[in-house]
Every structure is written in C-alpha cells, then in structure tokens.
Amino acid sequence: MEKYAKKLQDIINEQDFCFETEETKTVEKALGVLKMYEDANIPAEACVEYRKFEDELIRDGMSLQHVLDLLKAEREGRLKVRPESLGQRCGQCHHFLREPMKASGICEVRKNKHYPRAGTPLYCCQSKKACLDFDERGERPIRYQEA
C-alpha cells in the first residue's frame, strides 16, 4: 500500500505555500489523520466495506456488540443459522394435496413418525415452511384430495 502522508508532507515543505495560521493547522490535522490510517495499514476498500456494514447495522437498528454476541453464540454452538426457505411453503409444493375449500391438506411424501399415526400421510397447513423434499409446483395446477 502506497504511503501518501510522507509524500504530501514533502511537497508542502518543498513548495512555497502561503497558508494562513488556521489553514496550516487544518493541513497538519489532515496529514495526521492520513498518517494514522496509513500506519494502521487498512486499505481504503476495507474502510468503504466497513462503512456499508455499519450503515446496514444502523438501518436495521442493531449494534455491533449484538453482532459480536451472535457470532460468539454461533461459535459456542448456542446458535444455528438455518438456510432461507426462499418462499417455499406447503401449498406451493407439488406433493401437497389440498382439502377442498381449505388451506390445509396432506403431503404425499412426508409421513407421520409417531404412534398412533405412524406411516400415514402428514397433515399440514398451507403456511407451514417447506420440507427438504420440496418440489416447486410452478405452472402445474393445484391438486386436491379426492373426496
């Protein structure tokens, strides 16, 4: 990473600039800030990305400490981040057989695991999040249970 603070200081010293007292203080202050950034060895792109991250946190009403707490909890195994379902819900799946005039139905693929209904088709609601066997219905028509 190229250092500009030293070069800028040399240019100011070599040239015959006529600065007022206030201007000199401002230039020296700016040079000091630039030198601190360069000494920290942080690329400008990283600062821009951090600013975007910080703006996103503020927009969402979160603090940096909250994000750090979440990362710590995930590292310790107290938190699991699940993949997004991307709008996949029962009722939008080809395996879902809707009850006539209702938003509920049964799934052709998933079965009940527990007694007394073990092995029978799983009864689910249209708003339930989709399972791993989700098959997008797409343009196919809604299917209904036979009466």
Side-chain angles (χ1 to χ4, degrees):
M1 189 166 99
E2 197 170 357
K3 306 281 183 174
Y4 293 103
K6 177 76 172 120
K7 288 181 182 181
L8 187 56
Q9 184 67 56
D10 292 342
I11 290 170
I12 290 171
N13 290 340
E14 289 172 7
Q15 302 296 324
D16 189 18
F17 290 111
C18 297
F19 288 127
E20 298 290 325
T21 308
E22 285 299 314
E23 291 172 334
T24 304
K25 288 179 184 177
T26 304
V27 169
E28 287 174 353
K29 195 181 230 182
L31 274 171
V33 170
L34 179 59
K35 187 169 178 353
M36 284 191 306
Y37 274 112
E38 290 179 347
D39 289 346
N41 222 6
I42 301 171
E45 297 82 21
C47 292
V48 170
E49 288 300 313
Y50 179 77
R51 179 59 191 252
K52 287 180 191 174
F53 169 71
E54 210 173 45
D55 290 344
E56 208 170 298
L57 285 179
I58 291 168
R59 187 188 69 231
D60 294 341
M62 292 179 101
S63 68
L64 184 58
Q65 185 59 48
H66 182 69
V67 173
L68 294 174
D69 291 342
L70 289 172
L71 289 172
K72 182 180 176 187
E74 185 179 11
R75 206 175 24 247
E76 292 173 355
R78 296 183 290 129
L79 174 72
K80 179 162 172 58
V81 178
R82 293 183 168 176
E84 192 175 351
S85 67
L86 301 173
Q88 298 176 348
R89 304 245 179 232
C90 288
Q92 296 173 337
C93 179
H94 185 62
H95 303 302
F96 185 76
L97 295 173
R98 187 183 309 247
E99 288 182 296
M101 309 299 289
K102 293 189 179 177
S104 54
I106 58 170
C107 179
E108 289 182 311
V109 176
R110 296 173 71 191
K111 307 289 182 201
N112 283 304
K113 297 178 185 174
H114 306 289
Y115 177 79
R117 293 189 212 127
T120 61
L122 184 69
Y123 184 82
C124 48
C125 184
Q126 180 179 346
S127 62
K128 182 176 178 152
K129 287 188 178 178
C131 62
L132 298 174
D133 297 317
F134 184 82
D135 179 20
E136 184 71 52
R137 184 168 37 93
E139 297 297 319
R140 295 180 277 191
I142 296 173
R143 298 180 323 141
Y144 293 93
Q145 296 176 26
E146 293 179 14

